[in-house]
Amino acid sequence: MCTAVSFLSKEHYLGRNFDLDISYGEKAVITPRNYPFKMRKLQDLTEHYALIGIAAVFDDVPLYYDAVNEYGLSMAGLNFEGNAVYLEEVPEKLNVTPFEFIPYILGQCKTVAEAKTLLEKINLVNIPFSEQLPLSPLHWIVADKEQTLVVEPLASGLKLYDDPVGVLTNNPTFDKQLLTLSKYRGLSAKTPENTFAPAVDLPVYSRGMGTIGLPGDLTSSSRFARAVFTKAHSICEPTEMSSVSQCFHILNSVEQVKGCCELEEGHFEHTIYSACYNTTKGLLYYSTYDNRQLTALDLHKVDLDGSEPNVYPLLTEQNVHYQN
Ligand SMILES: C[C@H](CCC(=O)NCCS(=O)(=O)O)[C@H]1CC[C@H]2[C@@H]3CC[C@@H]4C[C@H](O)CC[C@]4(C)[C@H]3C[C@H](O)[C@]12C
C-alpha cells in the first residue's frame, strides 16, 4: 500500500509513502535536461525538463516511482492491483509504456493543465520494461500548486479525475474512494455536541471525540480517509521547515509498521521510504524505515544541462544525534 498527498502551505508539496515488503533498490535520481529518455513507440525524448525523484535504475535507465520537474509539476505512481489495464497499441494515439509515463509527462509539461491536454492523446500501452520487470498495475497522482489530478488506466482507456482532496492511495477506483468519504461527514477536530441522545448526560471523558469513527486500519480506503482528515485539519507555519514537518506528520498518520500487514509467510509490508517534495523549489526530503533523520537533495545543485542521471543511494542507516 502507498499513500500520496498533495499539500499546499506557502509553497506546494507532494508527499508519498512507499509501502511494500521488498525494495527494488530504489535511489534518489536527478535527471538533467539532455539525458535521452528512450521511448519504445515514440521518438526519444532527447531534450526535456529536468527531474528529481525516486527511481529504480535498471540498465542505466531511471524508472521513476515519484518525481517533480523544474517547473513544479509532480507525479507519483501507486499500486492499482486488479484495476489497471494497459491496452494494445493504438495508431492514432501517443503510445507510452507505464515505465515511460512519469518522464514523458514531467519531461514536457509545466502544469497539471498542460498535462491534462497531453494525457488526452496518450494510450498506456502494454509493453513491459523487460522480462525481469514485467508490467505492474499502477495509477498516478499528478499535482502542481493549482490542482491535483488522478490518472487511472482502465479498460475503457485513461480516466482522469480532478482530485479535490489531494490524496491518493490504492484500490478501489478513485470515484469510489471519494464517495466513501461521505460516511465521515460528521467527524471533526472539535468536541462534538451530544446530538445522539440529548436527554442523556454523555460525559466527554476524552479529548478527540470528534474523530471517533475515523478508521485506524491499514486498508487503502481507510488510509485514504485518515490522510484526508489529517491533511484537511493540519495546520503549520508558512515556513519551509514547518511545512516539511507537517507533510511528514500527515504521511506518518498512514505509515505501515513492519509486522502489522503480512503478505506471504514472513513478508511484511512496511513504509520503506517517505518522501516530501517542495515542488516549487525542486527539493526532495526523505526518510526511510530505519533512518528517521531527514535527508535532502536539491535539483538545482547539479548541472541541469548535463546528459547523465545523478544517482544517490538512499541513506538507510539510522542516524542519531547524541546530545550528551
Ligand atoms: C510496487 C510499487 C507500488 C507500491 C504500492 O503501491 N504498494 C501497495 C501494495 S497494495 O496495492 O496495497 O497491495 C510500484 C510503484 C512504482 C513502481 C515501479 C515504477 C517503474 C517501473 C515500471 C515498470 O512497468 C515495472 C517496474 C517498475 C520499477 C515499477 C515496480 C513497482 O510496480 C513499483 C515500485
Side-chain angles (χ1 to χ4, degrees):
M1 293 166 255
C2 288
T3 307
V5 179
S6 165
F7 166 69
L8 193 62
S9 174
K10 189 162 169 247
E11 285 169 342
H12 174 255
Y13 299 84
L14 182 78
R16 191 260 165 89
N17 278 349
F18 179 79
D19 306 337
L20 210 62
D21 54 333
I22 41 139
S23 123
Y24 286 72
E26 50 281 341
K27 315 258 190 315
V29 184
I30 300 179
T31 304
R33 297 175 188 123
N34 297 313
Y35 166 79
F37 277 110
K38 298 225 160 44
M39 301 290 294
R40 296 291 166 96
K41 291 288 163 189
L42 297 171
Q43 250 194 334
D44 293 348
L45 269 190
T46 48
E47 280 174 44
H48 49 80
Y49 304 145
L51 312 182
I52 180 169
I54 306 275
V57 183
F58 285 96
D59 306 331
D60 294 327
V61 181
L63 302 173
Y64 277 102
Y65 306 3
D66 39 82
V68 60
N69 71 13
E70 55 186 301
Y71 292 99
L73 182 64
S74 59
M75 269 177 91
L78 285 79
N79 232 11
F80 195 40
E81 189 88 45
N83 278 318
V85 181
Y86 304 120
L87 302 171
E88 295 296 320
E89 198 176 340
V90 178
E92 63 276 16
K93 288 234 165 182
L94 298 167
N95 293 285
V96 176
T97 73
F99 61 87
E100 296 163 343
F101 194 45
I102 289 184
Y104 193 73
I105 300 293
L106 297 190
Q108 306 183 91
C109 302
K110 292 182 175 152
T111 59
V112 172
E114 280 185 29
K116 273 187 185 169
T117 312
L118 184 58
L119 283 160
E120 301 292 339
K121 300 180 210 137
I122 289 180
N123 174 46
L124 278 180
V125 62
N126 56 6
I127 302 174
F129 180 74
S130 64
E131 236 171 79
Q132 292 72 36
L133 286 185
L135 286 166
S136 60
L138 298 170
H139 59 172
W140 292 267
I141 187 168
V142 188
D144 63 16
K145 61 179 187 305
E146 309 284 342
Q147 54 180 320
T148 305
L149 191 72
V150 166
V151 182
E152 302 199 319
L154 303 177
S156 52
L158 275 193
K159 175 93 187 162
L160 311 185
Y161 309 85
D162 287 316
D163 180 348
V165 295
V167 175
L168 183 65
T169 60
N170 308 103
N171 285 344
T173 52
F174 190 71
D175 47 347
K176 295 202 180 99
Q177 292 275 42
L178 271 185
L179 187 60
T180 313
L181 292 180
S182 298
K183 289 201 290 187
Y184 307 108
R185 275 183 58 110
L187 271 52
S188 138
K190 292 189 168 41
T191 301
E193 291 298 309
N194 175 9
T195 52
F196 176 74
V200 184
D201 176 31
L202 300 174
V204 179
Y205 60 77
S206 172
R207 293 176 182 176
M209 282 188 163
T211 64
I212 291 178
L214 185 64
D217 67 88
L218 301 177
T219 61
S220 52
S221 40
S222 296
R223 281 180 289 108
F224 186 75
R226 203 153 71 246
V228 171
F229 180 86
T230 310
K231 188 193 124 170
H233 292 276
S234 69
I235 48 174
C236 68
E237 300 300 317
T239 63
E240 180 69 356
M241 282 307 118
S242 181
S243 309
V244 169
S245 257
Q246 198 65 17
C247 187
F248 279 100
H249 284 303
I250 299 168
L251 291 174
N252 289 350
S253 76
V254 286
E255 81 165 343
Q256 308 253 43
V257 177
K258 213 184 265 182
C260 297
C261 172
E262 187 164 21
L263 303 180
E264 47 187 285
E265 188 68 32
H267 287 262
F268 298 99
E269 181 148 309
H270 59 285
T271 302
I272 293 181
Y273 71 78
S274 299
C276 165
Y277 296 88
N278 175 327
T279 64
T280 317
K281 294 209 169 85
L283 299 168
L284 160 60
Y285 302 84
Y286 71 85
S287 65
T288 70
Y289 195 81
D290 291 316
N291 184 5
R292 310 305 298 147
Q293 187 174 66
L294 296 184
T295 304
L297 294 115
D298 182 345
L299 173 69
H300 297 282
K301 286 218 172 130
V302 308
D303 173 15
L304 292 186
D305 288 319
S307 57
E308 291 294 328
N310 301 264
V311 180
Y312 307 85
L314 297 186
L315 303 181
T316 55
E317 211 170 297
Q318 184 62 283
N319 202 1
V320 177
H321 183 99
Y322 292 95
Q323 214 182 343
N324 70 4

